[in-house]
Amino acid sequence: MTFAVKPLLLVAVLALAACNNPDRYGAAGAGGLGGPGGPGGAGGIDTTGLGNPNDPTSIAFFNQTVGDRVLFAVDERTLTDDDRRVLAAQAQWLLANPAYAAIIEGHADEQGTREYNLGLGASRAAAVQNFLISQGVPANRLRTISYGKERPIKLCSDESCWSVNRRAVTVLSVGAGV
Amino acid sequence: MMSTRETPVWQLLLALLLFLLAPGPALAQEPPRIVIGPGTVEVMPIAVAPFIDEGGAGDYAREITRVVVSNLEGTGFFRNISEEAYISRITSFDGAIAFADWKAINVQVLVTGAVSVAGDRITVKFRAFDVFNGQVLEGAALQFAGTTQSWRRMAHKVSDAVYSTITAEGGYFDSRVVFVSESGPKDARLKRLAVMDYDGANVAYLTDSAALVLAPRFSPTGDRIIFTSYETGFPRITLMDMATLERWTLSDVPGTMTFAPRFSPDGDTVVFSLEQGGNTDIYAMSLSSGRLTQLTNAPSIETAPSFSPDGTQIVFESDRTGSQEIYVMPASGGEGTRISRGEGRYGTPVWSPRGDLIAFTKQHAGRFHIGVMRSDGSEERLLTASFLDEGPTWAPNGRVLMFTRETAGEAGQNALWSVDITGRNLRRVPTEGPASDPAWSPLLP
């Protein structure tokens, strides 16, 4: 019977002890890398009082009366005539209330892969942004973000929920020029 | 009184004939072997005898034995014969083995081992025997030493050696999986990065859940990960050093969004999607020079890029035909050649570390599947089906896939599952809570 013991030293760099509070501000990277990871929190997203929904200059009025969102058909990113009417009203409101900027959030339903839905949500947000710009809203007051399928608003797994999750929402914040 | 019976002459002649026909002086037989591939596989009966405590091992001997059994049985290729069936026991690592006793209970491979602990140092040694021939299997007599903290890695190393010897495939047990740990309801889901052993043990959290994080991937050496983070409020590609947990974000182009990153096989380049003005294309950035190169240029969504293991090609998905399909292009970019041919939508392609197969997510007729195809798109095989399966990742040996499975409905949750490339052995990977987006590390050094 042959027997050979091959010693093998494990260099145990198992430095992954449970760490719930990692260093959030890593050192600046080498060439090609940007600065340290930015601060946490809701960077780029400010919280503002909604105001009185009867006040036509309030965010509440914009959200409820003007309409803060448009919905999309499955895998679609083009705007319907109804969408354009809502967005034209959004543009009018933004032009009348120049103190506000907006982030347009693009969303997808859960029926798709994660990466694709990020791209799809971005296309939807951009379709809204482009339309608002075409209506005269300065581009520097608008930014887009895609959440893909990460932030549904209705939770069931059928078309009744998916149809409202496929959306682009215009989220206002105070401060022109995002 | 004892009586003896005459042996009939025909039996003697038969024995003589068999002896003459035998290939060698002993009745040698090929060592036990499992070939992983299509077709049915017989589950191999083995016995992992409880590892011997050779000093100070305490619970480690029993726990290491348990993990070795769990690893091997977890492949679906082995069945461990339990101790109750043993005729003889292994009481000393170097003692003689009564192979007839193991043959009698139909054991094909016997694994023996011993553990000793001195201070915080642990030593584990093992042998795997071909019971029929009474010999140690080639390459299956090893000794490992390290800290007691790394005891599970010792068990994984033992398992990898046994698995590799019998299957002639690389091992995959001594590996880690980085993933997204989830909590909270579907509309306010909290996500944070975590890493664990391939079998769900040894979980460590890498971020808190203050910012949305998606789809982490290991560097080729396993010492860094890259992922998409909303920490700045917008999706940005972020790198993390796994030893120090330091983080960096890739320098970005203002007004763009970056996601779906993966490393090149040499670790110097990152490929990812960059969205600008609603259009998503694939870009590469050199981490050493910072140079950004656009690889695709189409008005459609190009995303989920993954390098071939030789670094010469990139597989990705595009909806340029109006439906998600899989394409292969040179690593320098280009239009690419479509390789997916079947009905439905194809996404999240990942090149096998062996180079032979591409794993993907397929969406068809309201169901999601994990599948594999050859890198030219031929021989597509669907391995799973459910309400939502997505995002396969390859085990380091290219023979097992792990992926995310989400259940339907308001209480729908993600979990990690694994399946081997033949579609056998579909299993849920145990995690503390809901989990998604697994990415397998290379085999640890």
Side-chain angles (χ1 to χ4, degrees), chain A residues 10-79:
Chain A
L10 290 181
V11 183
V13 193
L14 302 174
L16 296 169
C19 182
N20 294 321
N21 186 20
D23 178 8
R24 300 177 59 87
Y25 305 102
L33 300 179
I45 300 173
D46 299 312
T47 306
T48 311
L50 290 173
N52 183 342
N54 296 321
D55 172 3
T57 66
S58 71
I59 292 180
F61 182 88
F62 178 88
N63 291 351
Q64 293 165 26
T65 307
V66 176
D68 66 348
R69 67 194 58 200
V70 292
L71 306 181
F72 294 84
V74 175
D75 204 23
E76 275 299 334
R77 61 218 76 179
T78 52
L79 302 170

Side-chain angles (χ1 to χ4, degrees), chain B residues 224-393:
Chain B
R224 286 204 251 180
I225 56 168
I226 191 161
F227 55 99
T228 302
S229 169
Y230 283 64
E231 194 174 18
T232 63
F234 295 89
R236 295 270 307 268
I237 291 172
T238 305
L239 286 108
M240 178 184 282
D241 182 293
M242 293 298 276
T244 64
L245 303 186
E246 279 184 314
R247 282 182 279 172
W248 302 270
T249 47
L250 276 194
S251 54
D252 69 344
V253 181
T256 67
M257 185 176 103
T258 51
F259 58 99
R262 268 184 208 279
F263 285 98
S264 61
D266 67 8
D268 181 60
T269 299
V270 175
V271 281
F272 56 95
S273 274
L274 186 151
E275 175 272 335
Q276 192 159 26
N279 181 36
T280 298
D281 272 305
I282 293 170
Y283 287 71
M285 181 180 273
S286 160
L287 294 179
S288 52
S289 74
R291 198 160 66 90
L292 182 69
T293 310
Q294 184 169 1
L295 302 183
T296 66
N297 188 359
S300 40
I301 297 173
E302 276 69 39
T303 190
S306 165
F307 274 97
S308 61
D310 66 3
T312 63
Q313 298 178 89
I314 293 172
V315 65
F316 64 101
E317 60 168 86
S318 165
D319 70 342
R320 63 185 63 164
T321 62
S323 173
Q324 274 171 283
E325 301 288 350
I326 296 175
Y327 297 77
V328 172
M329 66 178 170
S332 54
E335 287 196 4
T337 306
R338 178 172 156 185
I339 63 165
S340 56
R341 295 169 187 158
E343 287 184 86
R345 306 165 68 97
Y346 293 82
T348 77
V350 198
W351 218 303
S352 154
R354 296 164 59 115
D356 54 345
L357 296 172
I358 288 167
F360 57 85
T361 305
K362 177 168 174 161
Q363 191 182 349
H364 180 53
R367 303 276 282 172
F368 280 75
H369 308 268
I370 301 298
V372 292
M373 58 175 70
R374 300 195 64 79
S375 57
D376 62 2
S378 64
E379 296 179 37
E380 174 179 324
R381 294 199 304 273
L382 298 184
L383 309 177
T384 73
S386 89
F387 165 73
L388 211 172
D389 287 349
E390 72 168 310
T393 180

